[in-house]
Amino acid sequence: VQTVFVDESKDISVTVSRIPEQIVHEQQEKIEAARFLEQQRIIESIKRKEADIIWRENLARTRLQEMEANIVKKTTAEKQKLFFREAERERDLSKDFRRVREDLEAGIRRQYGALKEMFGQMIAKESSLARRFHVFSKLVPQPIEFRIHLLRAVKSKLRKGNYVVMLTQFDSLGGLPLSWSRIGINGIGNLRPGITRQFSHNGRFFDRTARIEDSCFALCPPRPLIRPSFVFILEIFELASKMNPYDRVVGWTVVPMCYDNMTLIEGKVKLPVLRGEHSNSVQHFKVMERKMASDLTNWM
């Protein structure tokens, strides 16, 4: 192998010489200059990009400021428009309110004669020949509806039969019933009676409730004429049958007509029912409480 290598290497000549240092320094300077130029180019490119970014940021900031100014301008214009529109609406409402108020007052003045003719005058009824107390009203009466759902825990306290509940206005507990001279003492005409439809009860010990689910109505005095003593009396009537030849009151309860501000009562209530007929001897709510506390059989 060595002999072959020697034979083939005879045709190859290698020349070894020394490069001058000046040429090496010139080459190094060229490389350094090229590197410096490349760095300068990169720095200039970065500066141009940063300047472009700053320019774009300023442009975006200016655009946002212009948009914000336009939004503020539009919002201010809308607020002014709404303000003027609200002021115009208030003026229109004020005019309409004055007109409606004048029409209402004129209507009330016109209707007084019709109301007086239709309902008559509110009076306190007396069965005796004593003097009659008249209550005159120049304002519109107030209708009210009592929705009566049921009687609880009745069981055998009411015997088997048919019953109704009647609503009556009184000037006080134990006082005189209030009545309109034309429409009467109960209800508001034929369409809104003051008596419920009849309901039946079997009178057995396990018949715990008597379902009524009906309404009775009353026409109350105007608010300026209501007194704190006015009350509603609810009476349970047993209708005539074979066992009972005539209608009779088997229980009653009472509820005030108004609150302390003289407005009619409203809402849901549960009322205790006393046995027997409504008596003039019971003139205070505490008397009802004492009767039930002294003898529970008085409590239906």
Side-chain angles (χ1 to χ4, degrees):
V1 177
Q2 184 176 4
T3 305
V4 175
F5 175 75
V6 172
D7 292 338
E8 290 181 357
S9 62
K10 290 179 179 180
D11 297 330
I12 299 173
S13 59
V14 178
T15 303
V16 178
S17 62
R18 181 180 178 185
I19 299 174
E21 294 182 1
Q22 184 178 358
I23 295 174
V24 173
H25 288 305
E26 290 177 357
Q27 290 294 330
Q28 289 180 351
E29 288 177 357
K30 289 180 181 180
I31 293 172
E32 291 293 335
R35 187 180 300 167
F36 178 76
L37 291 175
E38 181 67 19
Q39 290 178 353
Q40 290 293 327
R41 188 183 63 79
I42 292 173
I43 291 172
E44 291 296 331
S45 176
I46 293 173
K47 287 182 178 181
R48 285 195 300 271
K49 289 181 180 180
E50 289 180 351
D52 184 68
I53 291 172
I54 293 173
W55 176 78
R56 290 178 183 276
E57 286 181 352
N58 291 331
L59 184 63
R61 186 180 298 108
T62 303
R63 188 166 61 251
L64 287 175
Q65 290 175 354
E66 291 177 355
M67 292 175 62
E68 184 178 2
N70 291 332
I71 292 173
V72 171
K73 185 177 179 180
K74 289 181 180 179
T75 304
T76 304
E78 289 293 333
K79 286 182 178 179
Q80 291 178 353
K81 188 184 296 184
L82 288 174
F83 174 77
F84 290 127
R85 188 182 302 169
E86 189 68 21
E88 185 178 358
R89 180 172 173 271
E90 289 291 335
R91 288 195 298 269
D92 295 339
L93 285 176
S94 179
K95 292 179 182 178
D96 294 340
F97 178 77
R98 286 197 300 268
R99 185 174 64 254
V100 171
R101 181 177 178 180
E102 292 173 357
D103 294 342
L104 180 61
E105 291 175 350
I108 291 175
R109 288 194 296 269
R110 287 195 306 269
Q111 291 177 10
Y112 169 60
L115 287 171
K116 185 175 180 181
E117 180 180 355
M118 183 182 297
F119 300 117
Q121 300 168 344
M122 176 66 79
I123 59 175
K125 299 285 287 186
E126 281 190 84
S127 57
S128 65
L129 297 178
R131 66 183 180 88
R132 179 170 295 175
F133 178 69
H134 296 265
V135 180
F136 296 93
S137 173
K138 293 185 178 180
L139 301 177
V140 179
Q142 304 178 88
I144 192 171
E145 175 186 2
F146 275 72
R147 183 68 179 181
I148 304 175
H149 297 285
L150 51 84
L151 300 175
R152 294 182 184 274
V154 180
K155 297 184 179 180
S156 58
K157 298 175 185 177
L158 292 179
R159 60 186 181 182
K160 183 178 180 180
N162 296 323
Y163 298 85
V164 295
V165 177
M166 185 175 70
L167 174 66
T168 309
Q169 304 175 72
F170 278 74
D171 60 355
S172 64
L173 182 57
L176 300 175
L178 298 175
S179 173
W180 294 94
S181 58
R182 285 188 177 272
I183 65 174
I185 193 172
N186 300 108
I188 312 175
N190 297 326
L191 299 178
R192 296 177 177 84
I195 302 175
T196 64
R197 293 191 299 266
Q198 71 175 17
F199 60 94
S200 60
H201 181 64
N202 292 325
R204 297 168 294 190
F205 71 93
F206 53 84
D207 295 322
R208 301 184 60 183
T209 61
R211 183 70 62 172
I212 303 174
E213 297 297 345
D214 197 16
S215 298
C216 48
F217 301 85
L219 188 64
C220 303
R223 182 175 177 179
L225 299 182
I226 291 182
R227 299 293 176 265
S229 61
F230 285 4
V231 294
F232 294 108
I233 299 293
L234 291 163
E235 296 174 291
I236 304 173
F237 279 82
E238 181 183 3
L239 301 182
S241 62
K242 294 181 180 179
M243 300 295 295
N244 181 35
Y246 55 89
D247 299 340
R248 68 188 186 97
V249 181
V250 294
W252 66 278
T253 186
V254 61
V255 60
M257 183 179 292
C258 61
Y259 297 110
D260 55 357
N261 58 357
M262 297 299 114
T263 57
L264 294 181
I265 61 168
E266 60 180 356
K268 297 181 179 181
V269 293
K270 295 180 180 180
L271 302 173
V273 179
L274 286 175
R275 285 180 179 272
E277 297 185 10
H278 170 239
S279 174
N280 294 337
S281 62
V282 181
Q283 297 184 355
H284 300 282
F285 287 93
K286 60 183 180 181
V287 177
M288 295 177 59
E289 184 179 358
R290 289 172 185 169
K291 290 187 68 173
M292 289 184 289
S294 61
D295 188 358
L296 289 179
T297 57
N298 293 325
W299 191 356
M300 180 175 292

